[in-house]
Amino acid sequence: MFSTIIAVTMLGLSAPATPTDAAPWVASWTTSPIPTNAEQRLPQIGGSNTTVRQIVRLTLGGRMLRVRFTNRFGTTPLRIAGAHIAIASGPAAAAIDEASDRALTFGGNTGVEVPPGADFWSDPVSVAVKPLSDLAISTHFAALPDQQTGHPGARTRSWIVAGDRLSDATLADAKPVERWFQIAAVEVTAVPAARAIVALGDSITDGYGVTEGRHLRWTDGLARRLSAGRRTAGVAVLNHGIGGNCLLAECSGPNALARFDSDVASQPGACYVILLEGVNDLGRAGRERTPTAEERRAQVQQMIAGYRQIAARARALKLTVIGGTITPFVGNDYYHPDAAGEAARQAINSWIRTPGHFDAVIDFDAVVRDPARPDRLLPAYDSGDHLHPSMAGYRAMADAVPLALFAR
C-alpha cells in the first residue's frame, strides 16, 4: 500500500477480428444510469417509434467494440428494434460519417427485448477505435419501458427523431437534448496492459456546468493527460458521477455504496477507483434545519464507515482505491453550510488524508480552495454558486492527479 497526498481524433474501420485472451474487454466509456423522472424522460416524438442518436467520448482505443444497453430501472421490457454505431462528425453533432455506419446485432438478431432490471450487451463489432474518439450510438426503439433508465448529466447532445432513421447520415430534423437514454457502456478489446479508472462521485465528477460536448470535466482532462503519456496511454477513465448523488443518503440516484457493484465491480478492466463523494450528504443534513452537535458527530462517523466499506470492497476485488477530499462549499445558497457543517467536512477530510485508510489520496480540497478563506472555493475556480468548480477549477483538478498512480 502507499499514500500520496497532492495539493476529434478519428475512428476507423478495420478488418474482422476475433477477441482473444491477449485482447481482453475493457470499458472505454461508461455512465451511471438512474431512474428518470418526468422531466428527464425521452421526449415523445413519433410516440414509441423513435430513433435516438447519442454521442459518447471513448477514452481507450481497441480493435473491437460492443455496446451495453440498460433497462436497469425499467419495470416493463425495453424493446430495441435496431441499433447502429458510427463515427460522429463532432462531439455534439447529429451527423455521422456514412461510410463508417455499422449495424449492431444481439445474438445475431437486429433487435432485442431487454427484461426489466437487466443490461444487455450487443454482439462485438469489428472496428478499430482510437482513444478520445467520438462515437455515435443510434437506437431505434419499438417501445420504451414505463420507467425509463437514463443519465440526465450527459453534458453533450443526443438527437431524437421520429421513425426508423438509423442509417440517416445527417438527422437534419432531429431535436437535441443533453441527456443519455438506455445506454450504460461501450467496451473495447484492447492491448493486454489496458486498464481503467472508475471515478465514483457526484455532480463535481459528473461535470456540472459543462455543456455541448466540450469535454471539460476533470475526468476528461485526466483522460487527455493519460492518453498522452507513454506509460499511461492504455488507461481508460470511466465517469460514474451523478449530479446530486450522496455517499450514503438517498439523494439523486442510488447512493455510492448501493451502486458500487453496478458502477465499479461490473466494469471490465477496472483497476482503480477514485472516490469523490460526500458534499451532498453534508449539505442536505443542514438544508432544512440546523443539526445538533451530536447529529453532526454521528454523521461524520457514519460517512467514515461508508468510506471504509467502499475501500474494503474495492480491495477485495484487488482494485487500488484512491480517496478524494471533499471540496469547500461555504457560501452556497442551496445548502448554506454553517461552521458545524464546515467542521464536519474538515474532520472527514482529515480522516481521508490519514495514511492507510486509502491506498492513495488526491487532495482536491487543497487544489481548489482559497488559501485566504479555506472554507471557500478560490474565486477563479468557482463556477459562481460556491459549490461547483468552474472550467478552470475542473482543469486544475485534472492537472493535480499524479499520473504515477496509474503508470506501468
Side-chain angles (χ1 to χ4, degrees):
M1 301 299 178
F2 58 94
S3 177
T4 302
I5 300 181
I6 56 95
V8 174
T9 64
M10 291 297 292
L11 173 158
L13 300 176
S14 72
T18 302
T20 67
D21 291 339
W25 287 106
V26 179
S28 178
W29 168 86
T30 58
T31 191
S32 290
I34 64 172
T36 59
N37 59 31
E39 182 182 351
Q40 298 162 350
R41 288 173 61 87
L42 185 70
Q44 291 298 307
I45 299 175
S48 296
N49 185 19
T50 304
T51 296
V52 182
R53 179 165 293 163
Q54 306 181 73
I55 312 302
V56 302
R57 170 64 61 91
L58 305 181
T59 61
L60 185 68
R63 297 181 59 207
M64 300 190 74
L65 173 155
R66 64 185 181 188
V67 178
R68 184 173 177 174
F69 293 88
T70 183
N71 192 21
R72 199 170 300 172
F73 298 98
T75 55
T76 53
L78 167 66
R79 293 173 55 206
I80 297 174
H84 285 207
I85 57 98
I87 303 166
S89 63
I96 60 170
D97 176 0
E98 192 169 10
S100 71
D101 186 34
R102 294 291 184 273
L104 296 176
T105 56
F106 306 87
N109 300 310
T110 58
V112 67
E113 186 172 285
V114 183
D119 289 358
F120 209 102
W121 276 317
S122 72
D123 299 333
V125 175
S126 180
V127 57
V129 292
K130 294 183 178 180
L132 310 182
S133 298
D134 293 309
L135 184 75
I137 304 169
S138 301
T139 310
H140 178 213
F141 293 109
L144 289 161
D146 291 341
Q147 170 61 64
Q148 294 178 20
T149 297
H151 187 86
R155 317 301 173 196
T156 190
R157 293 191 184 110
S158 297
W159 301 89
I160 304 169
V161 66
D164 181 355
R165 303 279 291 278
L166 290 173
S167 297
D168 189 324
T170 62
L171 287 190
D173 56 337
K175 176 181 177 181
V177 294
E178 290 205 357
R179 299 191 288 282
W180 285 315
F181 305 94
Q182 314 290 163
I183 57 174
V186 176
E187 298 164 6
V188 300
T189 56
V191 297
R195 53 212 183 274
I197 303 165
V198 179
L200 188 64
D202 48 43
S203 58
I204 294 174
T205 296
D206 201 23
Y208 177 90
V210 177
T211 59
E212 299 180 344
R214 291 186 293 160
H215 299 295
L216 296 177
R217 309 169 188 88
W218 72 263
T219 54
D220 296 322
L222 175 58
R224 286 188 287 270
R225 293 181 63 217
L226 290 165
S227 185
R230 180 179 62 84
R231 298 177 62 198
T232 56
V235 182
V237 181
L238 311 179
N239 189 312
H240 281 277
I242 299 175
N245 195 240
C246 287
L247 174 70
L248 299 177
E250 288 305 305
C251 303
S252 174
N255 62 68
L257 193 58
R259 62 191 177 98
F260 180 89
D261 288 341
S262 61
D263 287 2
V264 179
S266 73
Q267 304 307 330
C271 289
Y272 317 92
V273 184
I274 301 176
L275 177 63
L276 179 57
E277 284 266 16
V279 69
N280 292 313
D281 296 75
L282 293 172
R284 73 190 297 271
R287 185 170 175 241
E288 302 298 334
R289 65 177 184 85
T290 301
T292 66
E294 181 56 36
E295 286 172 332
R296 278 296 189 192
R297 283 192 293 270
Q299 182 185 38
V300 168
Q301 293 307 308
Q302 289 163 359
M303 291 178 65
I304 287 173
Y307 293 130
R308 288 187 187 276
Q309 281 286 302
I310 290 175
R313 292 172 70 178
R315 286 166 174 157
L317 296 172
K318 302 188 184 306
L319 305 179
T320 297
V321 58
I322 302 165
T325 52
I326 301 173
T327 52
F329 65 112
V330 164
N332 177 256
D333 289 337
Y334 184 72
Y335 286 143
H336 44 82
D338 58 10
E342 171 61 11
R345 185 182 75 90
Q346 293 289 355
I348 290 170
N349 281 349
S350 178
W351 183 88
I352 291 171
R353 293 184 182 107
T354 301
H357 293 153
F358 290 98
D359 299 330
V361 173
I362 303 171
D363 200 342
F364 289 121
D365 171 41
V367 171
V368 300
R369 71 190 180 204
D370 186 345
R373 296 189 299 175
D375 60 354
R376 296 173 181 262
L377 292 168
L378 187 73
Y381 293 163
D382 191 340
S383 67
D385 68 1
H386 312 302
L387 170 63
H388 298 97
S390 63
M391 301 305 109
Y394 288 140
R395 183 168 59 251
M397 292 173 67
D399 290 345
V401 178
L403 300 191
L405 291 174
F406 316 109
R408 285 186 179 174

